[in-house]
Amino acid sequence: MAEQLEISMVFLVYMLLMMAVGVYYYRRTHNMSDYFLGNRKLGAWVTSMSAEASDMSGWMLMGVPGFAYVAGLNAGWIALGIIIGTWANWHFVAARLRIYTELANNSLTLPDFFENRFLASSGALRVIPAVFILIFFILYTSSGFVAAGRLFETIFQLPYVPSLLLGAGVVVFYTLVGGFLAVSRTDFIQGVMMFFAILVVPIGAAMMLGGFTATAEMIARDHASFFAPLTKADGSTLGFIEFISLMAWGIGYFGQPHILVRFMAIRHAEELPQATRIAMAWVIISLAAALMVGMVGAVYLQTPLEGTAAETVFLVMAEELFPPIAAGLILAAVLAAIMSTASAQLLVAASAFAQDIYRRSFRPAAQQAELVWVSRLSVLAIAAAAIYLGLSPDNFILDMVAYAWAGFGAAFGPALLMCLFWRRVTERGVLAGIVTGGITVLIWKQAALLGLYEIVPGVLLAFLAIYTVSKMDAEPPAKVTELFDRVNRSG
């Protein structure tokens, strides 16, 4: 009882601190650019840590360790795909997107950029992407709320539903109040916490087991297949389609709005090389440690974790390894991971509704203050839908994230890459790619065809649709190609 009280106090202090940050930045949020991009004033450190913290949510501290707990290095293919995708996104997309979005009428959202990229006026390039953003972010945010529910359930022995509501309430509060400045600043804090937490747990457990060599020998003795990357949890060999499906997580990066918006918000494009180095160091070390958590946990924990409980391996190890105050700080990092991503997703989804649906379709003359309030109300509505989807405690966090990740990767990744790098692409071509990619993921997921991760056919068909329709269309107007050329000269 005393231990739970100490952990509870650490959590309470942490949550109050995050809420205080939200209240502070509430006073500095005056318009849509402040609320959604922090008026493009983020430095390299905050940009990089914010991008990675909003990317690596509870699925890095819970989903990946849970996979490694049952499959060992077989889970490493997801990590490798993510590392490659992260590098490619920072190296090829970040600077060009930052320059292009500012030149394209200071675009604040991804749909905003698509429309301004083509000087379009029909509204389709705002509304249709915004609809897909709402669909997939409700699912993605729900995975974060499920992780929060499992966290509070593990620590406080609370029922799942009250745990879910408590975690969601904290995230919604500071997203609702502070906007992008609050989210990005807290993401920096949370990114640092996540980094140290994911390192200290497997290292601490290995030391308790007699060191890294002794731990590796125990894993090899009790779980020999863990060191065979091509061997699955059931002992069978990883097939080609399964291998492609795991690695394909990396191609999803080009279409994730909550990550791309961080590139748009950096102060100067010249700061991106430094931000890239920081981000890559963070990602490589953190994902390697996440795999270690699962593998070391399989020999450290005396009581096996079955089913969805495998995704709590990090939580259970932290509680067993450290005294209450230290355990509370480490477990607060899990809450930090969940909060950072869920808040970023809520913010992007709210911006899609306010900027790209409400303003475009219903209130073209809406003032900035009105749009900020519409965004805040939409945060509540989106969070309510995400909570509803997360009410079942049987959901696997990694499965929910994989579905949403595929949706964004297929709907927006090919469209964004073509917009940034192909001069000949047309408005109708991009629209065809977004619809094709998004719908392919929705259908393929339900049909479960070939056992292939739905992002693969989604991305391939989206690229094909963009290319085919663009080639069928007339050349883009001169003003559109002039803007493209101007970006080329700038970066």
Side-chain angles (χ1 to χ4, degrees), residues 38-53:
N39 211 16
R40 300 188 194 263
K41 292 180 179 177
L42 300 189
W45 276 93
V46 174
T47 298
S48 58
M49 296 297 282
S50 178
E52 298 318 316

PDB file of all heavy atoms in Angstrom, residues 38-53:
ATOM      1  N   GLY A  38       3.129  26.354 -33.597  1.00  0.00           N
ATOM      2  CA  GLY A  38       3.969  27.133 -32.700  1.00  0.00           C
ATOM      3  C   GLY A  38       4.613  28.304 -33.408  1.00  0.00           C
ATOM      4  O   GLY A  38       5.672  28.783 -33.029  1.00  0.00           O
ATOM      5  N   ASN A  39       3.937  28.776 -34.491  1.00  0.00           N
ATOM      6  CA  ASN A  39       4.418  29.907 -35.301  1.00  0.00           C
ATOM      7  C   ASN A  39       5.820  29.639 -35.880  1.00  0.00           C
ATOM      8  O   ASN A  39       6.595  30.550 -36.100  1.00  0.00           O
ATOM      9  CB  ASN A  39       4.411  31.205 -34.500  1.00  0.00           C
ATOM     10  CG  ASN A  39       4.147  32.416 -35.380  1.00  0.00           C
ATOM     11  OD1 ASN A  39       3.687  32.285 -36.507  1.00  0.00           O
ATOM     12  ND2 ASN A  39       4.444  33.585 -34.869  1.00  0.00           N
ATOM     13  N   ARG A  40       6.123  28.353 -36.142  1.00  0.00           N
ATOM     14  CA  ARG A  40       7.400  27.933 -36.754  1.00  0.00           C
ATOM     15  C   ARG A  40       8.599  28.484 -35.986  1.00  0.00           C
ATOM     16  O   ARG A  40       9.491  29.105 -36.555  1.00  0.00           O
ATOM     17  CB  ARG A  40       7.465  28.366 -38.228  1.00  0.00           C
ATOM     18  CG  ARG A  40       6.371  27.790 -39.115  1.00  0.00           C
ATOM     19  CD  ARG A  40       6.646  28.115 -40.568  1.00  0.00           C
ATOM     20  NE  ARG A  40       5.510  27.877 -41.430  1.00  0.00           N
ATOM     21  CZ  ARG A  40       5.306  26.781 -42.165  1.00  0.00           C
ATOM     22  NH1 ARG A  40       6.150  25.788 -42.087  1.00  0.00           N
ATOM     23  NH2 ARG A  40       4.256  26.663 -42.943  1.00  0.00           N
ATOM     24  N   LYS A  41       8.641  28.214 -34.687  1.00  0.00           N
ATOM     25  CA  LYS A  41       9.725  28.750 -33.862  1.00  0.00           C
ATOM     26  C   LYS A  41      10.499  27.669 -33.106  1.00  0.00           C
ATOM     27  O   LYS A  41      11.227  27.971 -32.171  1.00  0.00           O
ATOM     28  CB  LYS A  41       9.159  29.766 -32.856  1.00  0.00           C
ATOM     29  CG  LYS A  41       8.633  31.051 -33.498  1.00  0.00           C
ATOM     30  CD  LYS A  41       8.087  32.007 -32.455  1.00  0.00           C
ATOM     31  CE  LYS A  41       7.584  33.299 -33.091  1.00  0.00           C
ATOM     32  NZ  LYS A  41       6.987  34.212 -32.082  1.00  0.00           N
ATOM     33  N   LEU A  42      10.360  26.402 -33.516  1.00  0.00           N
ATOM     34  CA  LEU A  42      11.038  25.338 -32.782  1.00  0.00           C
ATOM     35  C   LEU A  42      12.498  25.212 -33.211  1.00  0.00           C
ATOM     36  O   LEU A  42      12.820  25.310 -34.386  1.00  0.00           O
ATOM     37  CB  LEU A  42      10.332  23.993 -33.015  1.00  0.00           C
ATOM     38  CG  LEU A  42       8.867  23.885 -32.596  1.00  0.00           C
ATOM     39  CD1 LEU A  42       8.422  22.438 -32.707  1.00  0.00           C
ATOM     40  CD2 LEU A  42       8.631  24.423 -31.203  1.00  0.00           C
ATOM     41  N   GLY A  43      13.384  24.973 -32.223  1.00  0.00           N
ATOM     42  CA  GLY A  43      14.793  24.749 -32.519  1.00  0.00           C
ATOM     43  C   GLY A  43      15.061  23.291 -32.850  1.00  0.00           C
ATOM     44  O   GLY A  43      14.156  22.453 -32.829  1.00  0.00           O
ATOM     45  N   ALA A  44      16.326  22.976 -33.144  1.00  0.00           N
ATOM     46  CA  ALA A  44      16.699  21.628 -33.586  1.00  0.00           C
ATOM     47  C   ALA A  44      16.413  20.570 -32.522  1.00  0.00           C
ATOM     48  O   ALA A  44      15.874  19.500 -32.820  1.00  0.00           O
ATOM     49  CB  ALA A  44      18.180  21.603 -33.969  1.00  0.00           C
ATOM     50  N   TRP A  45      16.790  20.850 -31.265  1.00  0.00           N
ATOM     51  CA  TRP A  45      16.599  19.864 -30.199  1.00  0.00           C
ATOM     52  C   TRP A  45      15.122  19.585 -29.949  1.00  0.00           C
ATOM     53  O   TRP A  45      14.701  18.427 -29.860  1.00  0.00           O
ATOM     54  CB  TRP A  45      17.279  20.334 -28.913  1.00  0.00           C
ATOM     55  CG  TRP A  45      18.735  19.992 -28.869  1.00  0.00           C
ATOM     56  CD1 TRP A  45      19.778  20.774 -29.269  1.00  0.00           C
ATOM     57  CD2 TRP A  45      19.311  18.759 -28.430  1.00  0.00           C
ATOM     58  NE1 TRP A  45      20.974  20.120 -29.106  1.00  0.00           N
ATOM     59  CE2 TRP A  45      20.723  18.878 -28.589  1.00  0.00           C
ATOM     60  CE3 TRP A  45      18.798  17.573 -27.914  1.00  0.00           C
ATOM     61  CZ2 TRP A  45      21.598  17.850 -28.254  1.00  0.00           C
ATOM     62  CZ3 TRP A  45      19.665  16.553 -27.576  1.00  0.00           C
ATOM     63  CH2 TRP A  45      21.040  16.689 -27.744  1.00  0.00           C
ATOM     64  N   VAL A  46      14.325  20.644 -29.835  1.00  0.00           N
ATOM     65  CA  VAL A  46      12.897  20.453 -29.569  1.00  0.00           C
ATOM     66  C   VAL A  46      12.227  19.781 -30.762  1.00  0.00           C
ATOM     67  O   VAL A  46      11.382  18.885 -30.600  1.00  0.00           O
ATOM     68  CB  VAL A  46      12.210  21.798 -29.238  1.00  0.00           C
ATOM     69  CG1 VAL A  46      10.699  21.619 -29.119  1.00  0.00           C
ATOM     70  CG2 VAL A  46      12.767  22.366 -27.942  1.00  0.00           C
ATOM     71  N   THR A  47      12.599  20.167 -31.978  1.00  0.00           N
ATOM     72  CA  THR A  47      12.009  19.556 -33.169  1.00  0.00           C
ATOM     73  C   THR A  47      12.295  18.065 -33.215  1.00  0.00           C
ATOM     74  O   THR A  47      11.389  17.243 -33.425  1.00  0.00           O
ATOM     75  CB  THR A  47      12.555  20.223 -34.445  1.00  0.00           C
ATOM     76  OG1 THR A  47      12.207  21.597 -34.451  1.00  0.00           O
ATOM     77  CG2 THR A  47      11.980  19.563 -35.685  1.00  0.00           C
ATOM     78  N   SER A  48      13.556  17.687 -33.032  1.00  0.00           N
ATOM     79  CA  SER A  48      13.928  16.275 -33.144  1.00  0.00           C
ATOM     80  C   SER A  48      13.295  15.437 -32.035  1.00  0.00           C
ATOM     81  O   SER A  48      12.710  14.377 -32.298  1.00  0.00           O
ATOM     82  CB  SER A  48      15.443  16.114 -33.121  1.00  0.00           C
ATOM     83  OG  SER A  48      15.993  16.654 -31.937  1.00  0.00           O
ATOM     84  N   MET A  49      13.387  15.908 -30.809  1.00  0.00           N
ATOM     85  CA  MET A  49      12.834  15.140 -29.689  1.00  0.00           C
ATOM     86  C   MET A  49      11.313  15.098 -29.748  1.00  0.00           C
ATOM     87  O   MET A  49      10.688  14.087 -29.409  1.00  0.00           O
ATOM     88  CB  MET A  49      13.304  15.746 -28.367  1.00  0.00           C
ATOM     89  CG  MET A  49      14.810  15.673 -28.163  1.00  0.00           C
ATOM     90  SD  MET A  49      15.429  13.975 -28.070  1.00  0.00           S
ATOM     91  CE  MET A  49      14.959  13.549 -26.402  1.00  0.00           C
ATOM     92  N   SER A  50      10.715  16.196 -30.183  1.00  0.00           N
ATOM     93  CA  SER A  50       9.260  16.234 -30.307  1.00  0.00           C
ATOM     94  C   SER A  50       8.787  15.276 -31.390  1.00  0.00           C
ATOM     95  O   SER A  50       7.808  14.548 -31.210  1.00  0.00           O
ATOM     96  CB  SER A  50       8.804  17.664 -30.624  1.00  0.00           C
ATOM     97  OG  SER A  50       7.415  17.716 -30.799  1.00  0.00           O
ATOM     98  N   ALA A  51       9.494  15.261 -32.522  1.00  0.00           N
ATOM     99  CA  ALA A  51       9.116  14.366 -33.616  1.00  0.00           C
ATOM    100  C   ALA A  51       9.205  12.906 -33.180  1.00  0.00           C
ATOM    101  O   ALA A  51       8.292  12.104 -33.447  1.00  0.00           O
ATOM    102  CB  ALA A  51      10.013  14.608 -34.831  1.00  0.00           C
ATOM    103  N   GLU A  52      10.271  12.540 -32.504  1.00  0.00           N
ATOM    104  CA  GLU A  52      10.453  11.136 -32.117  1.00  0.00           C
ATOM    105  C   GLU A  52       9.558  10.739 -30.952  1.00  0.00           C
ATOM    106  O   GLU A  52       9.075   9.613 -30.890  1.00  0.00           O
ATOM    107  CB  GLU A  52      11.924  10.863 -31.796  1.00  0.00           C
ATOM    108  CG  GLU A  52      12.866  11.088 -32.968  1.00  0.00           C
ATOM    109  CD  GLU A  52      12.324  10.555 -34.275  1.00  0.00           C
ATOM    110  OE1 GLU A  52      11.781   9.421 -34.292  1.00  0.00           O
ATOM    111  OE2 GLU A  52      12.412  11.254 -35.293  1.00  0.00           O
ATOM    112  N   ALA A  53       9.331  11.664 -30.021  1.00  0.00           N
ATOM    113  CA  ALA A  53       8.430  11.341 -28.908  1.00  0.00           C
ATOM    114  C   ALA A  53       7.001  11.170 -29.408  1.00  0.00           C
ATOM    115  O   ALA A  53       6.265  10.296 -28.933  1.00  0.00           O
ATOM    116  CB  ALA A  53       8.491  12.439 -27.841  1.00  0.00           C
TER     117      ALA A  53
END
